[in-house]
């Protein structure tokens, strides 16, 4: 009998502190940086973001999202035999955030590891877990995107500090005889590593290199729109379907202009695009599972719907997963 994997539960977690654009603008003004709510909304579509308290880590948010996903699936943590955490902001160099999530859930024995593909990380994690379930290496998996990007932002750089937020999203993926993950495609182009990166490193007891996120916004926009279009078409075709068969598109929540341009190139009505960017900002690897959980819980995404999830991030990486709920 052919073995497949299906999404059986979703969950998310957001830090308590919500910072609207007006508050952020006032804080930046104290640093001599001018910006306004109108400027941020016009250029990004972001209206607010959640920022983690100093004591809150990626693994803590990830464990909270995981518990919500397990509850939605009606499963206990000890039924999970694989945990994959997609993050660019792990608690430590090592152990992995996945191992810390496993500890927080009070289980042991199953595989646990991190995936580092920045904003594409959750899609990379989903494709990896699907492959491991299909080949029999796992039966039930937690795939988590968890980030505290506020820790790697230069709050004196208006071009980047207004874009990001903190949070986590999770799904439970379980073996099933019915197809759930219909297709996935992953790509990377390391020659573009310079357009989006955090180039710092820990060496000899200190940080070497630049410790904050840097981005060539125009280059990222151009490449993101191109690859999100191509990988969406490639993934849908791999499933033997067309874009008309897709009920919902959940792209990485980076910038409202990227979301509009991607939907337009794909010929999809923007009403079929799940958008949480205005409320969460760019939460990197957490953005796709966060948006998925929001749309599942508010009833937009229902059983039988086909959902195309795609991400693009530093590396440069990109990928997509098509799932039937």
């Amino acid at each position: 009998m052919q073995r497949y994997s299906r999404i059986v539960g979703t969950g998310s977690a957001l830090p308590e502190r919500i910072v609207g654009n007006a508050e952020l603008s006032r804080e930046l003004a104290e640093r001599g940086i001018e910006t306004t709510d109108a400027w941020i909304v016009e250029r990004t579509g972001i209206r607010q973001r959640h920022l983690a308290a100093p004591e809150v880590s990626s693994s803590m948010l990830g464990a909270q999202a995981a518990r919500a996903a397990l509850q939605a699936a009606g499963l206990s943590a000890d039924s999970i035999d694989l945990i994959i955490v997609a993050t660019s902001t792990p608690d430590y160099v090592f152990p992995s955030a996945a191992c810390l999530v496993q500890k927080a859930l009070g289980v042991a024995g199953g595989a646990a590891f991190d995936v580092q593909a920045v904003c594409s990380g959750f899609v990379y994690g989903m494709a990896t877990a699907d492959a491991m379930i299909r080949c029999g290496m796992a039966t039930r998996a937690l795939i988590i995107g968890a980030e505290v990007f506020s820790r790697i932002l230069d709050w004196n750089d208006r071009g980047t500090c207004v874009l990001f937020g903190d949070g986590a999203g999770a799904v439970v993926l379980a073996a099933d005889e019915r197809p759930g993950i219909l297709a996935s495609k992953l790509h990377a182009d390391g020659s573009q590593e310079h357009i989006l990166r955090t180039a710092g490193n820990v060496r000899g007891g200190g940080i070497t290199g630049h410790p904050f996120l840097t981005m060539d916004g125009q280059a990222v926009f151009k490449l993101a729109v191109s690859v999100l279009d191509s990988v969406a078409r490639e993934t849908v075709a791999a499933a033997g379907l067309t874009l008309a068969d897709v009920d919902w598109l959940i792209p990485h929540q980076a910038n409202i202009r990227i979301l509009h341009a991607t939907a337009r190139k794909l010929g999809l009505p923007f009403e079929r695009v799940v958008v949480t960017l205005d409320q969460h900002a760019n939460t990197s690897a957490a953005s796709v599972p966060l948006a998925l959980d929001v749309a599942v819980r508010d009833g937009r995404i229902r059983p039988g719907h086909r959902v195309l999830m795609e991400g693009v991030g530093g590396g440069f990486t990109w990928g997509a997963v098509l799932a039937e709920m």
Side-chain angles (χ1 to χ4, degrees):
M1 181 182 296
Q2 182 68 44
R3 184 180 172 101
Y4 301 99
S5 70
R6 294 186 68 86
I7 296 172
V8 297
T10 66
S12 56
L14 291 162
E16 290 184 5
R17 186 186 175 201
I18 300 173
V19 179
N21 289 343
E23 180 182 350
L24 180 61
S25 297
R26 289 192 297 270
E27 292 180 359
L28 292 178
E30 295 174 359
R31 299 170 175 263
I33 302 166
E34 293 186 9
T35 190
T36 64
D37 171 63
W39 187 90
I40 297 171
V41 172
E42 179 185 351
R43 286 162 176 77
T44 71
I46 297 167
R47 297 185 180 276
Q48 65 176 40
R49 72 282 296 144
H50 291 250
L51 298 180
E55 68 275 10
V56 175
S57 67
S58 289
S59 72
M60 292 168 66
L61 290 170
Q64 185 179 343
R67 292 187 187 99
L70 287 166
Q71 183 178 29
L75 295 172
S76 61
D78 59 11
S79 70
I80 299 296
D81 53 11
L82 171 64
I83 299 174
I84 300 176
V85 174
T87 184
S88 298
T89 54
D91 300 26
Y92 311 122
V93 174
F94 65 83
S96 67
C99 284
L100 298 177
V101 168
Q102 188 190 60
K103 175 185 177 182
L105 295 178
V107 295
F113 58 89
D114 289 356
V115 168
Q116 219 295 36
V118 198
C119 305
S120 307
F122 177 75
V123 171
Y124 267 60
M126 284 284 285
T128 301
D130 174 56
M132 292 180 69
I133 289 174
R134 283 174 180 258
C135 75
M137 288 187 66
T139 299
R140 293 192 182 98
L142 272 168
I143 304 92
I144 303 163
E147 302 284 16
V148 283
F149 251 56
S150 58
R151 310 278 165 79
I152 58 172
L153 298 179
D154 180 355
W155 292 96
N156 294 307
D157 178 9
R158 183 179 68 163
T160 57
C161 72
V162 303
L163 301 177
F164 296 90
D166 303 330
V171 304
V172 179
L173 205 61
D176 201 292
E177 60 186 27
R178 300 170 298 153
I181 303 302
L182 305 180
S184 58
K185 294 292 180 180
L186 305 176
H187 299 283
D189 180 359
S191 70
Q192 301 296 325
E193 57 84 19
H194 59 286
I195 67 175
L196 177 59
R197 63 180 178 176
T198 301
N201 196 6
V202 177
R203 184 182 302 167
I207 296 176
T208 62
H210 190 67
F212 300 122
L213 179 148
T214 59
M215 179 176 67
D216 180 341
Q218 289 186 339
V220 169
F221 181 93
K222 183 178 179 181
L223 190 54
V225 173
S226 174
V227 300
L228 288 173
D229 173 69
S230 63
V231 78
R233 296 179 186 277
E234 179 188 16
T235 305
V236 170
L241 300 170
T242 69
L243 287 166
D245 297 312
V246 175
D247 296 292
W248 294 98
L249 174 66
I250 305 182
H252 167 52
Q253 308 285 306
N255 182 298
I256 196 65
R257 295 179 177 181
I258 293 176
L259 271 60
H260 275 291
T262 300
R264 187 166 55 249
K265 289 194 73 171
L266 292 173
L268 292 174
F270 201 68
E271 295 74 23
R272 287 163 57 190
V273 180
V274 178
V275 179
T276 56
L277 172 72
D278 57 329
Q279 299 298 304
H280 302 156
N282 182 348
T283 54
S284 189
S287 74
V288 171
L290 266 171
L292 175 65
D293 185 53
V294 167
V296 167
R297 290 177 186 269
D298 69 21
R300 276 178 288 173
I301 293 178
R302 301 187 298 274
H305 280 180
R306 296 189 183 103
V307 180
L308 181 61
M309 297 168 276
E310 54 179 355
V312 57
F316 205 78
T317 66
W318 64 97
V321 171
L322 180 62
E324 184 172 295
M325 303 299 288

